[in-house]
Amino acid sequence: MTYQAPVRDYTFLLRDVLQLERYASLPAFADASMDTVEAILEEAGKFTSEVLAPLNTVGDKQGCVWSPDHTVKTPDGFKDAYAKLVEGGWPALGSDPAYGGQGLPHVVNVAFSEMSSSANMAFSMYPGLTHGCYSAIHVGGSQEQKDLYLPKLCSFQWAGTMNLTEPHCGTDLGLLRTKAVPQADGTYKISGQKIWISGGEQDLTENIVHLVLARIEGAPQGTRGISLFIVPKFIPDDDGNPGVRNSVKCLGLEEKMGIHGNATCVISHEEATGWLIGEENRGLALMFVMMNEARLGVGLQGIAQAEAAYQAAAAFAKDRLQGRSLTGPKNADGPADPIIVHPDVRRMLMDARAIVEGGRAFMAWTALHGDLSHASPDEAVRQKGRDYMALMTPVVKAFLTDRGFNVCSDAMQVHGGSGFTEHFPASQYLRDVRIALIYEGTNGVQALDLVGRKLAADGGRGVMSFFAELDAFIEAETSADMKPFVTGLATAKAELQEATMWLMQNGLANPDNAGAASTDYLHLFGLTALAYMWALQAKAALARIAGGDTDSFYETKLTIGRYYIERVLPETSSRLAKLKTGSDLLMKLPADAF
């Protein structure tokens, strides 16, 4: 099975659903005509399917190799593929033209990122983290730091990482021990050990720029005393080229269940030279620029692996002969029917497409609001974009990875016993995607972030704006063809609103109620968001059909959308019922009863 990039689907989303050309008058969208975008999508599809996808199994089987000289060799073919990535200009799609970027809207870059991750998740993490490092320096760095680092990061000539986690602390970064000692020349000596550093050492780039969280001597304890530092592997010389080796070492690689082609490193900073980025004791806020971008990227990984797993499962189901159809033979000349004739196999494949295509639309819709938060001349639109980015980030990250994992699991189930072997790709997709539910803040932490911070932010302005948008859409769409989508969305929206009110009334009185309800609430939110995405896609598909377009793509869209509304969306009712039970039973047992 060869991965086929969803070029057609992205063309539909960007042209018909999000109507990207509506924003052509904005400078940030000036170069994003649909002719240009479609050409980019086509080339992205070719690059990811022809260059990256063939290396996916290679990376899984070979993994990365650490040497006692603290270097790491990536799998065969990765270095050449990375050179082609840079040569093709793919890293620069959404970056600032002032530093060598192409300046395209991020929503276009999302399409390439999904294709890249579907084709080879482990490989795509190297450039993904580099772009996060670029973003943090772009937001918080001095002009001198931007001029030095951003052109190299923008081109991916240099790679970037983020160094947060330590052996004794992950989510609770206030416990970190890495220290920074100020020097007379304005630099700092950074000492400490960081673990689980993706791409912390590799042979793909001439330099690696580590962004390191550390505590300056004498700084307050907890998160209020954390600063952020640029710690390059090689200290740039006066010409901006890699100079002397910094005292940053890779002590080894983690043995992981998946993403074997990505080097997950233990990094030791031994009085390494670092430069403060931003203000003292304000490092965590700046690092969140990178972390929030990474969380959206992780949500994308959930959809990306689900897409690849679905493709493999669908191909297998059409080829594998087993049993006969319940309504009579469909392959009369053969010894059995292909398993795609069986309703339960169809259920798993339809569930996959409903989640993947709805989730892809949700990612693109969220990314477009992120673009508008910077690019729109209208402050109200910019504010809405900022609110939506904050509100939707935990939902995108957690909901799409939870559901993406389920799709990968079902894809293995479609393969039957073959899926449990390494002769088929199903097991790799399942192993690779599993980390997405954990890193960049576990999905439980994302749910707590949603109910504990994001809902109440600015007096609930973000969620109320979302409810108002749904209400306006429901009221406006009165055609008979849209009725199933509008009715389903209205029901889900009412349940989400009821759940929100329940949290406001019961979460403040007892914070455990909010914690107990958080995961169900997040899934209720995600299900409702995808119902809106399917309604938007249905509207666009119906418009195409009404205009005389006979492409079966649009009828297929409507069928999958109806399936989502009728077979997936009813889960909202059970989520609402569960979250309203509160925390009493969850918290009743003493710890020693477990």
Side-chain angles (χ1 to χ4, degrees):
M1 196 283 297
T2 303
Y3 166 69
Q4 299 294 316
V7 174
R8 181 72 183 80
D9 208 30
Y10 266 111
T11 301
F12 171 66
L13 285 175
L14 298 180
R15 182 192 63 204
D16 300 306
V17 180
L18 301 179
Q19 299 176 18
L20 210 60
E21 290 191 324
R22 286 186 296 176
Y23 309 105
S25 62
L26 303 181
F29 289 79
D31 295 327
S33 70
M34 276 311 300
D35 286 345
T36 299
V37 169
E38 287 185 46
I40 290 170
L41 294 175
E42 288 288 345
E43 289 304 313
K46 290 177 185 177
F47 177 79
T48 54
S49 60
E50 296 173 7
V51 177
L52 300 187
L55 297 175
N56 198 33
T57 301
V58 174
D60 186 53
K61 302 301 182 190
Q62 287 188 4
C64 296
V65 179
W66 177 83
S67 296
D69 64 354
H70 309 293
T71 60
V72 170
K73 180 186 180 300
T74 55
D76 291 347
F78 271 43
K79 193 167 186 177
D80 181 57
Y82 191 90
K84 291 177 180 176
L85 177 86
V86 174
E87 181 184 350
W90 295 109
L93 276 182
S95 298
D96 189 342
Y99 301 102
Q102 297 178 35
L104 287 168
H106 181 58
V107 68
V108 178
N109 193 51
V110 160
F112 173 74
S113 296
E114 186 204 317
M115 296 177 194
S116 175
S117 187
S118 282
N120 196 323
M121 178 172 164
F123 178 94
S124 70
M125 291 172 65
Y126 293 108
L129 285 160
T130 296
H131 194 272
C133 179
Y134 157 89
S135 297
I137 296 174
H138 193 273
V139 169
S142 66
Q143 193 58 52
E144 182 181 7
Q145 290 169 339
K146 292 177 183 180
D147 292 341
L148 173 59
Y149 290 103
L150 292 188
K152 301 294 180 64
L153 292 170
C154 183
S155 67
F156 285 22
Q157 186 178 346
W158 293 1
T161 75
M162 56 179 177
N163 285 218
L164 286 74
T165 308
E166 300 183 5
H168 61 283
C169 73
T171 301
D172 190 355
L173 290 170
L175 299 176
L176 71 79
R177 297 172 184 160
T178 299
K179 66 178 182 179
V181 180
Q183 304 298 299
D185 62 359
T187 64
Y188 292 77
K189 292 299 182 184
I190 311 297
S191 300
Q193 188 177 107
K194 300 289 184 175
I195 62 171
W196 304 339
I197 308 306
S198 298
E201 180 59 47
Q202 35 78 1
D203 58 357
L204 306 176
T205 62
E206 64 182 24
N207 204 359
I208 301 173
V209 182
H210 300 287
L211 293 189
V212 183
L213 287 181
R215 195 184 310 278
I216 298 173
E217 284 188 323
Q221 292 300 304
T223 57
R224 291 180 301 168
I226 296 176
S227 299
L228 184 64
F229 299 88
I230 297 173
V231 184
K233 175 182 174 180
F234 293 99
I235 297 173
D237 62 20
D238 291 340
D239 296 322
N241 298 313
V244 300
R245 183 75 159 83
N246 209 346
S247 50
V248 179
K249 295 179 181 176
C250 173
L251 301 183
L253 298 175
E254 300 290 350
E255 295 290 334
K256 313 184 297 289
M257 71 179 283
I259 53 169
H260 296 149
N262 191 269
T264 307
C265 304
V266 178
I267 297 291
S268 177
H269 299 277
E270 302 170 358
E271 293 195 338
T273 300
W275 285 262
L276 179 69
I277 174 173
E279 300 176 26
E280 289 188 9
N281 306 330
R282 297 294 303 276
L284 197 57
L286 190 53
M287 180 61 86
F288 264 108
V289 172
M290 191 171 183
M291 287 180 68
N292 284 332
E293 181 171 316
R295 286 171 176 174
L296 292 169
V298 171
L300 184 147
Q301 287 179 333
I303 289 301
Q305 293 304 288
E307 169 68 36
Y310 161 76
Q311 289 189 20
F316 184 89
K318 287 185 278 190
D319 184 65
R320 173 71 165 169
L321 302 181
Q322 200 85 168
R324 288 296 189 187
S325 166
L326 298 174
T327 55
K330 301 297 185 290
N331 179 33
D333 295 334
D337 288 333
I339 63 173
I340 199 166
V341 305
H342 301 307
D344 197 56
V345 172
R346 292 267 183 141
R347 173 188 61 81
M348 291 184 280
L349 295 176
M350 287 293 282
D351 280 355
R353 288 200 56 175
I355 290 297
V356 169
E357 294 177 25
R360 175 178 297 129
F362 187 34
M363 274 294 313
W365 177 85
T366 302
L368 177 59
H369 280 290
D371 286 324
L372 293 175
S373 74
H374 302 292
S376 176
D378 186 335
E379 171 55 25
V381 174
R382 293 199 302 274
Q383 183 64 67
K384 182 179 181 180
R386 292 191 292 269
D387 289 346
Y388 275 12
M389 286 295 287
L391 179 66
M392 301 301 172
T393 293
V395 183
V396 166
K397 193 279 184 186
F399 182 77
L400 296 187
T401 56
D402 272 349
R403 298 299 167 132
F405 177 79
N406 290 345
V407 169
C408 291
S409 181
D410 278 349
M412 175 180 279
Q413 192 74 11
V414 169
H415 280 79
S418 298
F420 199 66
T421 72
E422 295 297 322
H423 299 294
F424 290 82
S427 74
Q428 184 185 349
Y429 296 133
L430 191 66
R431 288 185 286 104
D432 283 355
V433 80
R434 189 60 185 83
I435 185 58
L437 285 68
I438 299 171
Y439 61 13
E440 305 308 337
T442 65
N443 286 0
V445 169
Q446 301 304 315
L448 286 174
D449 180 45
L450 176 64
V451 303
R453 295 189 182 94
K454 301 303 172 58
L455 285 184
D458 300 303
R461 185 177 63 207
V463 72
M464 294 307 165
S465 177
F466 183 56
F467 288 157
E469 181 171 337
L470 298 187
D471 286 338
F473 181 88
I474 291 164
E475 183 178 354
E477 299 304 321
T478 58
S479 72
D481 288 333
M482 282 295 294
K483 185 176 180 182
F485 298 95
V486 170
T487 301
L489 176 59
T491 300
K493 183 263 176 182
E495 290 174 325
L496 179 60
Q497 195 160 20
E498 182 180 345
T500 305
M501 295 305 297
W502 186 92
L503 279 171
M504 290 179 177
Q505 293 165 4
N506 295 275
L508 291 176
N510 180 0
D512 278 342
N513 282 332
S518 59
T519 291
D520 286 308
Y521 181 84
L522 183 142
H523 278 265
L524 175 50
F525 203 119
L527 288 161
T528 304
L530 261 63
Y532 184 37
M533 296 303 109
W534 273 114
L536 291 173
Q537 292 184 86
K539 180 181 177 181
L542 288 167
R544 275 279 168 178
I545 293 169
D549 199 320
T550 58
D551 190 337
S552 62
F553 174 89
Y554 302 109
E555 288 291 353
T556 299
K557 272 289 175 193
L558 293 171
T559 299
I560 298 168
R562 284 286 298 272
Y563 180 91
Y564 178 84
I565 297 297
E566 294 180 15
R567 298 274 308 203
V568 180
L569 188 59
E571 183 188 327
T572 55
S573 297
S574 65
R575 293 287 183 176
L576 175 62
K578 286 197 294 181
L579 73 84
K580 289 171 68 176
T581 63
S583 62
D584 289 350
L585 286 175
L586 272 178
M587 307 307 293
K588 186 172 183 179
L589 291 180
D592 59 11
F594 286 90

